[in-house]
Amino acid sequence: MNISAIILAAGDGTRMKSSGPKVMCEVLGEPMIGWVMDSVKESGFPDENIGVVVGNGADTVKEYIAKKGQFLTFMQTERKGTGHAVMQAADMLQKGENVLILCGDAPFIDSDTILKSLNEHTYSDNDVTVVTAKIADPGSYGRIIRDENGGLLRITEKKDCTPEELMINEINSGVYWFKSTALKEALPLLSTANASGEYYLTDAVGIIKSKSGKAGAFISENSDIVLGANSRKDLLNLNTKARMRVIERLLDEGVEFPCTDGIIIGKDAVIGRDTKILPNTIIRGKTVIGEGCIIGPNSLIENTAVGNNVTLNNVQAYSAKVGNNVKAGPFVQLRPDTVLHDGVKIGDFVEIKNAEIGVKTSVAHLTYIGDSDVGKDVNFGCGCVTANYDGVNKFRTVIGDHAFIGCNTNLIAPVEIGENATTGAGSTVTGKIPADSLVVERAAAKVIEHWEKNSKRIRKA
Ligand code: UD1
Ligand code: CA
């Protein structure tokens, strides 16, 4: 492919007042830079043509983007401005005829805008095409300065604007297409003679114009696409917009929200029709939920696959799989690698981790199941615990179909309960228990009559 992309993500985020890198601040649970990377990837850039400039919190940013692909990263040790950031990634200019520059703190840029502006850029044979937007409150964005014929002249940063220029409401999105050769020539000409004392990438536009290059603007119809976050207030604003955008899409797709209070759903979530989402529910990551479910209230579902007609009430689920017609909650935690097959019932105060629970099995109260393979139609009484960890190693618990685990059974792994077997209430069980048997581990009850201590207590009262 004859295009490459540079994402600027080294900034200090002073205005965000965060000790971490600004681009890792999250919108709907996904770091802002993740949104930008997804849109760039969706536009068809191969990973090796995408370069990311990192600096503040470089390790955190690098670790995160490595999960999305094998991108090139460039270190900007000192933050001397957006122009300086691009200089660090100059290698990317060898990779294609045209280069796209984007900011890691403006998450809503989409592949549609990226590709349409490229079209405009190549069709007009521009040396630079700036993606702009007209917004009611141009705030701290760079202003687009045009000549009397409407041609693009330059970009002026807010701090450097005259009072008249401040009134301009066409702003720079921070997304640009450059001819690589034109940008290469402009970079050494950037200076720090401005109000911030930084190398502004925005000055490249004026420089290209002054050398008789061709500069154009691609005005984005949807002005939300350009929004960036420099402060916590901006970030909240982006979250609010993104949140309602996802909820509106889901409403169109037949998902029900009796009220949207406290509901945050990530942009990648897929939810089937007639599913109802109740207040204080957060759904994030690659979560897929089927039809006719009731999710919430007060639930957090992450990277989890949920079937149809499932009820999750006050449930936290992380990287789990839930079949059809499952009922879970209230106060349930499904930790990674939990698989609940169809018709499973999970009651209150139950935690399940790395375990497969068979069809129609019931775990109704106060129970922990970890590292286990549980068959179908098994019944757990109240307060059962798998003791899967001996302090050094973890072992599995295996329970056959139709087994009946009595209240307060401790299953010390490795342990295997055969099909149809029963464990007596209060038993601590280990080893291999045959099918169809009863295992009871309980000392015989001893009755001591006329218990002196209790009669003393009663006399005292
Ligand atoms: C920049 C633009 C402004 C535009 C706005 C759009 C400049 C000079 N100004 O302003 O015209 O309207 O974006 O959101 O370019 N960064 C680095 N290294 C640095 C400085 C910044 O990598 O030394 C990165 C930041 O992490 C950020 C991006 O570049 O992702 C933009 O930097 P920021 O300081 O936020 O620029 P703005 O003031 O928002
Ligand atoms: Ca910014």
Side-chain angles (χ1 to χ4, degrees):
M1 215 182 205
N2 214 6
I3 51 175
S4 62
I6 301 174
I7 302 172
L8 308 183
D12 290 323
T14 326
R15 290 165 282 179
M16 196 64 86
K17 300 208 169 68
S18 165
S19 47
K22 170 169 65 169
V23 296
M24 290 298 290
C25 287
E26 293 178 353
V27 173
L28 300 188
E30 175 87 26
M32 292 195 284
I33 184 159
W35 289 66
V36 179
M37 312 239 40
D38 287 352
S39 297
V40 172
K41 285 201 74 162
E42 253 176 65
S43 307
F45 291 80
D47 285 7
E48 65 272 18
N49 284 24
I50 303 174
V52 184
V53 183
V54 295
N56 182 30
D59 290 343
T60 317
V61 178
K62 280 206 258 185
E63 192 186 321
Y64 170 73
I65 63 176
K67 289 187 212 146
K68 296 217 170 250
Q70 299 230 303
F71 311 107
L72 296 169
T73 56
F74 301 90
M75 188 65 190
Q76 186 192 20
T77 335
E78 269 183 295
R79 260 71 70 197
K80 296 187 189 163
T82 47
H84 184 253
V86 173
M87 292 173 202
Q88 315 311 305
D91 283 0
M92 296 305 294
L93 305 181
Q94 321 295 345
K95 294 221 168 209
E97 197 182 322
N98 292 297
V99 58
L100 171 73
I101 315 271
L102 315 101
C103 297
D105 67 347
F108 296 158
I109 182 72
D110 59 6
S111 57
D112 195 50
T113 306
I114 291 174
L115 295 174
K116 280 186 180 154
S117 57
L118 172 61
N119 238 350
E120 166 72 28
H121 178 69
T122 50
Y123 178 79
S124 302
D125 196 27
N126 286 342
D127 291 296
V128 55
T129 304
V130 183
V131 176
T132 71
K134 292 186 172 151
I135 59 176
D137 173 17
S140 65
Y141 293 98
R143 307 300 201 265
I144 300 296
I145 315 291
R146 291 176 178 272
D147 60 23
E148 54 279 12
N149 303 318
L152 177 58
L153 261 186
R154 61 188 147 83
I155 301 169
T156 301
E157 289 306 292
K158 185 196 171 191
K159 284 187 187 168
D160 302 293
C161 279
T162 63
E164 295 75 51
E165 286 170 338
L166 277 180
M167 309 288 284
I168 295 172
N169 72 345
E170 186 183 1
I171 56 99
N172 168 28
S173 69
V175 176
Y176 326 76
W177 279 103
F178 284 94
K179 263 189 196 149
S180 302
T181 48
L183 181 57
K184 210 160 111 206
E185 281 170 29
L187 285 179
L189 302 175
L190 297 181
S191 85
T192 55
N194 53 53
S196 306
E198 289 183 351
Y199 294 98
Y200 287 162
L201 177 61
T202 43
D203 286 348
V205 175
I207 292 170
I208 287 171
K209 274 298 281 193
S210 70
K211 301 186 87 188
S212 322
K214 202 170 169 207
F218 175 85
I219 307 178
S220 165
E221 271 164 43
N222 177 358
S223 61
D224 280 0
I225 278 168
V226 306
L227 296 178
N230 292 325
S231 64
R232 297 283 178 182
K233 205 166 160 191
D234 294 342
L235 191 64
L236 173 60
N237 183 26
L238 295 194
N239 269 293
T240 306
K241 279 194 186 279
R243 191 177 88 86
M244 283 319 291
R245 210 199 296 159
V246 172
I247 289 175
E248 276 159 23
R249 168 183 50 95
L250 292 169
L251 286 166
D252 286 344
E253 290 170 7
V255 178
E256 187 175 334
F257 297 86
C259 147
T260 61
D261 289 356
I263 295 179
I264 302 175
I265 302 178
K267 68 182 166 82
D268 297 328
V270 177
I271 305 178
R273 57 175 58 192
D274 294 318
T275 284
K276 197 186 287 195
I277 312 288
L278 300 179
N280 296 322
T281 292
I282 298 176
I283 297 172
R284 61 191 184 199
K286 304 261 179 255
T287 292
V288 178
I289 295 172
E291 300 183 356
C293 299
I294 302 174
I295 311 294
N298 312 320
S299 295
L300 197 168
I301 316 294
E302 181 183 281
N303 294 323
T304 289
V306 177
N308 299 324
N309 304 312
V310 169
T311 301
L312 301 179
N313 168 10
N314 283 268
V315 170
Q316 302 241 331
Y318 305 91
S319 303
K321 269 195 194 139
V322 176
N324 300 316
N325 305 309
V326 168
K327 269 199 166 67
F331 317 118
V332 165
Q333 179 167 217
L334 306 177
R335 291 170 53 199
D337 302 315
T338 290
V339 178
L340 306 182
H341 285 279
D342 293 354
V344 162
K345 227 181 102 189
I346 309 289
D348 49 297
F349 304 104
V350 172
E351 173 179 340
I352 302 185
K353 183 213 83 173
N354 184 24
E356 192 158 340
I357 311 292
V359 172
K360 287 195 169 166
T361 283
S362 166
V363 190
H365 342 259
L366 306 162
T367 290
Y368 170 64
I369 301 179
D371 302 316
S372 302
D373 303 299
V374 179
K376 60 179 184 222
D377 190 32
V378 172
N379 185 77
F380 282 81
C382 181
C384 296
V385 171
T386 58
N388 52 326
Y389 185 48
D390 66 4
V392 182
N393 294 306
K394 291 193 175 148
F395 299 96
R396 285 197 88 78
T397 296
V398 178
I399 299 177
D401 297 345
H402 316 292
F404 188 98
I405 311 299
C407 288
N408 263 311
T409 297
N410 292 315
L411 296 152
I412 315 271
V415 53
E416 201 178 320
I417 309 289
E419 280 184 27
N420 302 321
T422 299
T423 71
S427 299
T428 292
V429 179
T430 191
K432 200 167 170 166
I433 309 303
D436 305 307
S437 62
L438 164 70
V439 55
V440 200
E441 184 274 341
R442 211 191 283 160
K446 210 186 258 179
V447 180
I448 299 166
E449 296 198 58
H450 311 296
W451 185 235
E452 182 54 21
K453 187 174 165 196
N454 197 35
S455 36
K456 265 195 237 159
R457 183 177 63 87
I458 293 165
R459 274 198 303 273
K460 194 174 158 201

